Amino acid sequence: MSKRYFINNLDSPLGQEFYSQLVKEDTEEGVHMATYKIDDPNKMPPKGFKKILKRYKPKLSRKKMLEECDVYVYDVASATQQDLDFVCDIFRNSKTTLEEQKVLILVSTVLTWSAMPDKVKPKVEKKLEEEQEGEQQEQQEQQQKKEEAEENQEPKEDENQEQEQEQQQIQQQPINEVPEVIEYVPWEESDYKLRSASAQYSQLKDWEDMVLSLQKDNLKVIVVCAGLIYGKGELLFQKYFKKAWLQQPYKLSYQPDGNNKVPTVHITDLVKMIIKVSESIPESNYIFAVDNTQDRTQKAIIQGIATGVGSGWIEQNDDFFKDFTPEEMDCFRLHLDCKTSQMFIGNEETPSDFEWHCEKGIAFNAKKILQEFTSIHKLRPIKIIMESKAENMRFQDILTMISDHYRIPVINQEQIFKDAQDPNYVFPSEIQEDFNELWPAIQEYINNQTPAQLSEQLKIYYKVIKWRLSQNDCQNRGFILQNFPNFFEEADFIFYPNKQKLKMKKKPKKKPVVQEEENKQPQEPAVDENGDPIEQEQPEEQQQEEQQQEEAQEEEQQEEEQQEEEQEGGPKPEDFFPESYIVIKPLGKTDHFDYNRKLINFFSERNLDAYFIDPRKKTNHDTFEDLRIYIERNGRPYNYLQNEQELIIQYFNLQRIKDLTIKYTRKQSIQIWKEITKVKKDKRQGLVTKYTTYIQEQEQELQQVKQFPFRNYLMEFVVPVLNEGLVEVAHILPDDPVEFLAEYLYKRSFNVDNE
């Protein structure tokens, strides 16, 4: 790398990646220069950089940039109008003379093409004159043939003449042209003068035009139009990767229909492209810096993220984009079909020597991008085995607290095989048929919970478990295996490859049923229509020999693998080998219980000691804190977890509540008792007042009745009803007239007020 670079805003994401690329070259002294977004006089230049220029010293910066730098890199994402005016003024100045070749590179964005429609393929010009001459010659030949036929033949009937006239009219009519099919082609770098940006990104286009307008001897101006940048922690796609990593929501979303083409580029490839452009200067002043993705549609990109990082499912859901900014929405709505620069992909005649990091884009390199994402954000899976002989609600509560805190799934045997039958999971096709066939035997083994020798159904059993633990949610965030595995044999087959042992036996081919003939005749070799011999099925002896040879080769491979493992110090475990083994003692009164000593020894021999905890004398929160400290003994991962300070505050709040509860004095208890007694007393006093008022009202009514003359009262209210009752007695003649009359008067008493 012979060039000396000036990087504007070295502390920007692009500047940081540029720094990582530049420092790969071992240099004794710094040769490059840069600026920071905020000037800091106390900040020393990093390795490989000679000086950090200050914006408050423009004259010195101008002199240093011209004398000691060859390439000037400005990024529109972090630059300001003042930055670009400053560099343009340097080269516009008539006093500035460039003795050496200088390169000014402006890293722009495809959003400057946001208002561009699809490019229509130009029509091929047809030779209209030749076609017209050919048509005239054909018409003349047809006319001559008709004249000769009319001279030789007799005059035809009227009907024939009418038919000829109709045919002539049809021929004379102009032929309807077939509508042409519109074809679209990608935009090329040479079309940059036609580009158009939407209103909110017109300033970026103006910056491009301002830089491209610079003309000076020994100065080459290049605009590198970058696609949407991804990689190294994810700038634009960070929210997508975060949602996919957490699987919250379970399905990623695209908008509106996902068919818009979105150019993208990895930030490492972008820096390499800039260095490539500066080292071997192209003729063009405008370069497309986009990856060579085959399918650029938004839907394909989101599907690649979902498959490589998340659950593998996508949908169209507007609620998914609630936390997205308008700028991010514009990026995902962008539609631009552009062609990758030939400088980076080459062609058959002139192949390119450019070394790609992610040539095929996000979908093809999702796993590689995920590794960068997890490394930068300090994400790692939390893999735990939790065992308890006595399952109860409290054990489930502790299990749930750990699962919710670390956002990892709780998996047991039943859940694994339930997921295997869930259509949301893509079950491996190579074991689908065997799993469906052997599922009853596998279910019987699960229900028995006793060790068994390795069989065909157990091979499928272990493969299904390995498949579930290798899914994205377990690989990314981790898992909790609840009371599983049960035996050390299961742990060995699950957490170590054992490819040869778990290989399924080949099923014998079904023989075709052939009816034997009494008189067998010598069979001639079968031939096809062309006389070529047809391949026939091999005899049983030959098939057996081939199977024996294959088995011998497999045994040799197995021996070679065993020798390699012995040389390397033993077999390597799977990626999902657990890092924490927790044994929770039962919550009963006894202090002794049977440990699964074989399983404990299995993990202990592999440097994973079991952690025993007795939760009987602890609260659920105290038990959770003890387990959290054990799980994070090698460091706390980021994993979008709750902050440690928040956990400390939460713990102290709980302790404070606990201390206040213990120190609650008898005086406070008496005060509370007095308050409760006062409330009860007030309630009783209210009832007494209510009943007293009711009694007084009844007494007033009684006094009013007493003041009324008794004889008049009887004649007006009692005697008429009594007479009616006596009449009823006379009509009915009951066995007990007195009781009947009493009941009658009682019933009528309810209607006295109404009457």
Side-chain angles (χ1 to χ4, degrees):
M1 194 178 294
S2 59
K3 300 287 185 179
R4 298 170 299 175
Y5 287 86
F6 168 79
I7 310 300
N8 185 57
N9 295 332
L10 188 63
D11 50 350
S12 66
L14 184 66
Q16 289 295 308
E17 181 60 24
F18 225 110
Y19 170 74
S20 64
Q21 292 289 333
L22 293 178
V23 297
K24 288 181 179 179
E25 183 179 352
D26 295 332
T27 55
E28 296 180 359
E29 296 181 358
V31 295
H32 310 295
M33 294 187 181
T35 60
Y36 287 126
K37 292 181 181 179
I38 301 175
D39 291 337
D40 186 1
N42 298 323
K43 203 165 188 178
M44 299 298 294
K47 177 185 175 182
F49 281 76
K50 184 177 181 180
K51 190 174 183 60
I52 299 297
L53 301 180
K54 308 297 188 294
R55 287 185 173 86
Y56 59 84
K57 297 180 179 179
K59 292 183 179 180
L60 179 61
S61 299
R62 185 192 303 262
K63 182 180 178 182
K64 291 287 185 182
M65 288 173 63
L66 286 173
E67 293 178 356
E68 303 182 24
C69 294
D70 302 320
V71 182
Y72 310 89
V73 181
Y74 282 78
D75 178 20
V76 297
S78 61
T80 62
Q81 184 71 49
Q82 290 77 10
D83 294 338
L84 296 176
D85 290 340
F86 176 74
V87 70
C88 289
D89 290 342
I90 292 176
F91 294 111
R92 281 201 192 102
N93 192 347
S94 58
K95 297 180 180 180
T96 303
T97 56
L98 303 178
E99 298 178 357
E100 299 178 354
Q101 178 70 45
K102 305 290 184 181
V103 182
L104 174 60
I105 298 176
L106 179 67
V107 184
S108 185
T109 172
V110 289
L111 292 173
T112 57
W113 296 65
S114 56
M116 293 296 290
D118 287 330
K119 182 181 179 181
V120 179
K121 185 177 181 180
K123 299 178 181 178
V124 180
E125 296 182 358
K126 299 179 180 179
K127 297 180 180 179
L128 299 177
E129 296 179 358
E130 295 180 359
E131 292 180 358
Q132 290 176 359
E133 291 177 359
E135 290 177 357
Q136 289 177 1
Q137 290 179 359
E138 290 179 0
Q139 290 178 1
Q140 290 176 2
E141 291 176 359
Q142 290 178 0
Q143 240 174 356
Q144 290 177 1
K145 290 180 181 179
K146 286 181 182 179
E147 290 175 357
E148 292 175 359
E150 288 176 357
E151 292 176 358
N152 297 331
Q153 293 180 0
E154 297 179 356
K156 297 182 179 180
E157 298 178 356
D158 297 338
E159 294 180 358
N160 294 336
Q161 291 178 359
E162 292 177 358
Q163 290 178 359
E164 287 180 1
Q165 291 176 0
E166 290 177 358
Q167 289 178 359
Q168 291 177 0
Q169 290 177 0
I170 293 170
Q171 290 177 357
Q172 291 175 0
Q173 290 178 356
I175 300 171
N176 295 329
E177 296 182 356
V178 179
E180 296 182 0
V181 179
I182 300 175
E183 296 184 11
Y184 298 101
V185 293
W187 289 101
E188 298 180 359
E189 299 166 350
S190 57
D191 301 322
Y192 75 93
K193 294 182 180 179
L194 304 175
R195 73 195 187 284
S196 176
S198 54
Q200 58 268 40
Y201 302 107
S202 59
Q203 185 183 16
L204 301 181
K205 181 178 176 295
D206 294 340
W207 287 356
E208 289 183 355
D209 295 335
M210 180 177 68
V211 173
L212 289 170
S213 64
L214 292 175
Q215 293 182 358
K216 200 173 189 65
D217 295 338
N218 289 334
L219 175 64
K220 180 65 175 179
V221 177
I222 302 173
V223 173
V224 177
C225 184
L228 303 184
I229 301 175
Y230 63 88
K232 295 296 179 73
E234 300 313 310
L235 303 175
L236 178 62
F237 292 91
Q238 181 178 2
K239 292 178 182 177
Y240 262 112
F241 271 80
K242 177 182 176 181
K243 292 175 184 289
W245 193 86
L246 293 172
Q247 294 190 11
Q248 295 177 357
Y250 187 74
K251 296 181 180 180
L252 298 183
S253 181
Y254 54 89
Q255 62 155 332
D257 58 355
N259 294 325
N260 57 309
K261 294 186 177 181
V262 183
T264 55
V265 65
H266 194 282
I267 192 169
T268 301
D269 288 326
L270 177 58
V271 173
K272 288 183 177 181
M273 290 174 180
I274 297 170
I275 296 174
K276 173 77 173 177
V277 168
S278 64
E279 296 287 338
S280 54
I281 301 173
E283 295 180 0
S284 176
N285 292 337
Y286 204 93
I287 300 294
F288 272 136
V290 297
D291 53 30
N292 194 20
T293 308
Q294 294 181 355
D295 189 356
R296 296 186 189 278
T297 59
Q298 179 202 165
K299 193 173 183 179
I301 294 172
I302 303 307
Q303 181 65 64
I305 297 174
T307 304
V309 183
S311 64
W313 293 88
I314 62 174
E315 63 178 356
Q316 204 283 323
N317 184 8
D318 294 335
D319 293 338
F320 181 87
F321 300 96
K322 286 182 178 179
D323 56 341
F324 282 66
T325 63
E327 291 77 13
E328 291 172 338
M329 299 293 287
D330 292 339
C331 292
F332 294 122
R333 291 195 187 104
L334 174 68
H335 175 65
L336 177 64
D337 187 10
C338 60
K339 186 182 292 185
T340 308
S341 177
Q342 292 294 327
M343 191 175 186
F344 310 123
I345 58 175
N347 50 37
E348 295 180 356
E349 298 178 357
T350 58
S352 175
D353 59 349
F354 184 75
E355 296 181 0
W356 285 90
H357 181 70
C358 290
E359 181 180 3
K360 300 299 182 182
I362 295 177
F364 188 82
N365 299 284
K367 293 295 183 183
K368 182 189 292 186
I369 301 168
L370 175 62
Q371 290 178 358
E372 298 174 353
F373 182 77
T374 54
S375 175
I376 289 176
H377 291 283
K378 298 180 181 179
L379 308 176
R380 64 178 177 86
I382 305 295
K383 297 165 287 188
I384 306 171
I385 296 177
M386 287 190 67
E387 179 185 339
S388 178
K389 293 295 182 182
E391 293 191 26
N392 52 29
M393 289 300 296
R394 193 165 174 208
F395 173 70
Q396 293 296 330
D397 292 341
I398 297 171
L399 203 66
T400 304
M401 290 175 70
I402 296 175
S403 173
D404 293 343
H405 178 72
Y406 292 107
R407 298 176 180 178
I408 53 180
V410 178
I411 299 176
N412 51 36
Q413 285 180 317
E414 296 177 357
Q415 186 64 36
I416 289 174
F417 290 95
K418 185 179 179 181
D419 293 340
Q421 299 171 3
D422 189 348
N424 289 332
Y425 290 92
V426 181
F427 198 70
S429 57
E430 59 269 15
I431 61 175
Q432 179 70 58
E433 184 179 352
D434 294 330
F435 174 74
N436 295 335
E437 181 181 350
L438 300 173
W439 168 238
I442 295 172
Q443 200 169 14
E444 183 179 355
Y445 169 75
I446 295 173
N447 296 331
N448 290 338
Q449 294 185 352
T450 54
Q453 294 183 351
L454 186 64
S455 59
E456 294 300 302
Q457 58 264 27
L458 284 184
K459 290 179 182 179
I460 296 295
Y461 170 79
Y462 293 132
K463 285 185 177 181
V464 172
I465 295 172
K466 285 174 174 286
W467 160 80
R468 179 62 187 92
L469 295 179
S470 62
Q471 294 302 298
N472 285 337
D473 57 346
C474 295
Q475 288 290 310
N476 295 339
R477 304 194 308 276
F479 53 82
I480 300 177
L481 287 179
Q482 179 184 357
N483 290 330
F484 181 76
N486 298 311
F487 320 109
F488 76 93
E489 295 90 351
E490 291 182 345
D492 183 29
F493 282 112
I494 292 171
F495 297 118
Y496 285 86
N498 297 306
K499 293 181 180 179
Q500 295 296 331
K501 293 181 181 179
L502 297 179
K503 193 169 185 179
M504 301 292 292
K505 293 182 180 179
K506 292 185 178 181
K507 297 181 180 179
K509 297 181 179 179
K510 295 182 180 179
K511 301 177 182 179
V513 180
V514 182
Q515 295 180 355
E516 296 182 358
E517 298 179 359
E518 295 179 357
N519 299 323
K520 291 186 179 179
Q521 297 180 356
Q523 296 181 355
E524 297 180 355
V527 295
D528 56 10
E529 296 178 356
N530 300 327
D532 298 328
I534 300 175
E535 295 182 1
Q536 296 180 349
E537 294 184 359
Q538 298 177 351
E540 294 182 10
E541 295 179 356
Q542 192 171 352
Q543 289 181 0
Q544 290 177 357
E545 290 179 0
E546 291 180 356
Q547 288 182 358
Q548 290 176 358
Q549 291 177 359
E550 291 178 358
E551 291 176 357
Q553 291 178 357
E554 291 175 359
E555 289 178 358
E556 290 178 0
Q557 291 178 359
Q558 186 174 356
E559 290 177 358
E560 291 177 359
E561 290 179 358
Q562 288 179 355
Q563 290 177 0
E564 291 178 358
E565 290 176 355
E566 289 176 358
Q567 292 176 358
E568 295 176 357
K572 293 183 179 180
E574 298 278 11
D575 294 337
F576 44 80
F577 189 86
E579 59 183 20
S580 300
Y581 182 28
I582 299 171
V583 179
I584 297 181
K585 294 183 179 180
L587 303 177
K589 295 181 179 179
T590 58
D591 293 332
H592 302 285
F593 70 98
D594 295 331
Y595 296 102
N596 194 343
R597 299 191 179 279
K598 291 184 177 180
L599 189 62
I600 293 172
N601 293 335
F602 172 84
F603 286 110
S604 179
E605 291 172 358
R606 287 153 181 84
N607 299 323
L608 178 59
D609 295 328
Y611 179 73
F612 298 90
I613 186 169
D614 188 357
R616 288 178 295 180
K617 298 180 180 179
K618 300 179 180 179
T619 62
N620 286 355
H621 188 269
D622 292 338
T623 305
F624 164 74
E625 283 297 319
D626 290 348
L627 294 177
R628 186 181 69 82
I629 293 170
Y630 164 70
I631 293 169
E632 299 173 7
R633 62 193 182 279
N634 297 325
R636 179 176 173 83
Y638 177 65
N639 288 19
Y640 303 105
L641 302 178
Q642 195 174 3
N643 192 359
E644 285 191 358
Q645 293 182 353
E646 295 178 359
L647 289 173
I648 293 171
I649 293 171
Q650 183 180 355
Y651 176 76
F652 278 113
N653 287 337
L654 291 172
Q655 277 303 117
R656 188 182 174 202
I657 293 171
K658 185 178 179 181
D659 294 341
L660 289 174
T661 304
I662 295 172
K663 295 178 180 179
Y664 212 65
T665 59
R666 184 173 178 274
K667 182 178 179 181
Q668 293 171 329
S669 301
I670 293 172
Q671 183 67 27
I672 292 173
W673 178 81
K674 288 181 178 180
E675 291 178 358
I676 295 172
T677 305
K678 183 179 178 182
V679 171
K680 291 181 178 179
K681 185 177 180 180
D682 294 342
K683 187 176 180 181
R684 290 175 183 172
Q685 187 64 35
L687 290 174
V688 170
T689 305
K690 181 180 177 181
Y691 291 147
T692 304
T693 305
Y694 177 75
I695 293 170
Q696 290 177 355
E697 291 176 354
Q698 294 295 323
E699 288 178 350
Q700 289 177 1
E701 292 179 0
L702 184 60
Q703 290 296 331
Q704 292 176 0
V705 171
K706 288 181 178 180
Q707 292 176 2
F708 195 75
F710 187 65
R711 180 178 180 80
N712 295 337
Y713 174 78
L714 292 175
M715 293 300 295
E716 186 175 356
F717 297 106
V718 178
V719 173
V721 179
L722 183 60
N723 288 337
E724 291 176 4
L726 293 172
V727 171
E728 289 293 328
V729 171
H731 282 299
I732 297 175
L733 297 176
D735 295 337
D736 192 350
V738 177
E739 185 178 356
F740 177 80
L741 183 61
E743 289 181 359
Y744 179 81
L745 294 175
Y746 178 72
K747 291 178 181 179
R748 287 296 301 274
S749 65
F750 292 105
N751 299 328
V752 170
D753 294 337
N754 296 332
E755 293 176 356

